[in-house]
């Protein structure tokens, strides 16, 4: 077999273009266009070698991918939006008694956080369940608290 039938190349191209609906990567469509162009060239020149057909499809697909994505995708599409990061604030100390030791957490801005520095209870014995504390920072998903 010296060449692939022109209609097979066009079918492959159409399948690649329609597969873009499922993938949404905005890549397959351009190579689908390349296969359609290779099918049209094969229709005009039926004796073309299959290696040349694949080369045409790859070159046209690569060029249209480069040019198409460059002009069809917004330039700011790759920028990451600023995400709100938790910086601390006023919190309420929550102490629950467990079997061997108390479970210490702090409720701040609607979220319960484990306390990163539970030794603060020994330093400040006035801290009880429900005491107001300041959450200064979050380290490894644990709140560092300070006495007001």
């Amino acid at each position: 077999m010296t060449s692939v039938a022109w209609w097979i190349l066009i079918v492959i191209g159409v399948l690649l273009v329609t597969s873009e609906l499922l993938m949404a990567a905005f890549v397959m469509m351009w190579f689908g266009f390349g296969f359609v162009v290779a099918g049209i060239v094969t229709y005009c020149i039926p004796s073309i070698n299959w290696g040349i057909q694949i080369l045409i499809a790859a070159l046209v697909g690569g060029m249209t991918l480069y040019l198409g994505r460059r002009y069809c995708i917004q330039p700011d599409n790759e920028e990451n939006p600023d995400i709100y990061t938790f910086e601390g604030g006023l919190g309420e100390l929550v102490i629950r008694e467990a079997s061997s030791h108390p479970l210490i957490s702090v409720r701040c801005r609607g979220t319960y956080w484990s306390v990163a520095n539970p030794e603060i209870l020994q330093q400040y014995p006035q801290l009880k369940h429900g005491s107001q504390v300041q959450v200064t920072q979050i380290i490894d998903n644990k709140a560092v608290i300070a006495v007001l």
Side-chain angles (χ1 to χ4, degrees):
M1 180 161 118
T2 59
S3 70
V4 179
W6 64 270
W7 60 271
I8 292 176
L9 293 171
I10 291 180
V11 167
I12 291 171
V14 169
L15 287 174
L16 286 173
V17 170
T18 55
S19 72
E20 189 65 45
L21 296 172
L22 300 174
M23 296 177 108
F26 208 53
V27 172
M28 303 299 291
M29 175 178 68
W30 305 110
F31 288 100
F33 292 152
F35 272 96
V36 169
V37 168
I40 292 170
V41 170
T42 303
Y43 181 76
C44 296
I45 309 169
S47 63
I48 196 167
N49 187 343
W50 67 271
I52 302 295
Q53 291 172 321
I54 300 300
L55 183 65
I56 290 170
L59 287 177
V60 171
M63 286 188 322
T64 56
L65 173 67
Y66 176 74
L67 296 173
R69 284 181 61 94
R70 187 175 190 184
Y71 294 111
C72 293
I73 293 182
Q74 296 178 356
D76 62 347
N77 190 29
E78 297 175 0
E79 293 179 12
N80 293 329
D82 291 334
I83 297 175
Y84 169 75
T85 56
F86 184 79
E87 297 175 356
L90 191 62
E92 179 182 342
L93 194 62
V94 178
I95 302 173
R96 287 181 240 135
E97 294 298 324
S99 59
S100 62
H101 62 282
L103 297 173
I104 306 164
S105 60
V106 62
R107 188 174 79 80
C108 184
R109 296 188 184 174
T111 303
Y112 286 91
W113 302 87
S114 296
V115 176
N117 56 339
E119 65 276 357
I120 198 167
L121 292 179
Q122 296 168 353
Q123 296 171 356
Y124 298 97
Q126 72 269 21
L127 290 177
K128 303 287 182 211
H129 177 78
S131 298
Q132 297 291 315
V133 293
Q134 179 70 32
V135 176
T136 58
Q137 61 181 339
I138 303 294
I139 299 175
D140 293 332
N141 211 22
K142 291 185 177 183
V144 177
I145 61 172
V147 178
L148 292 176

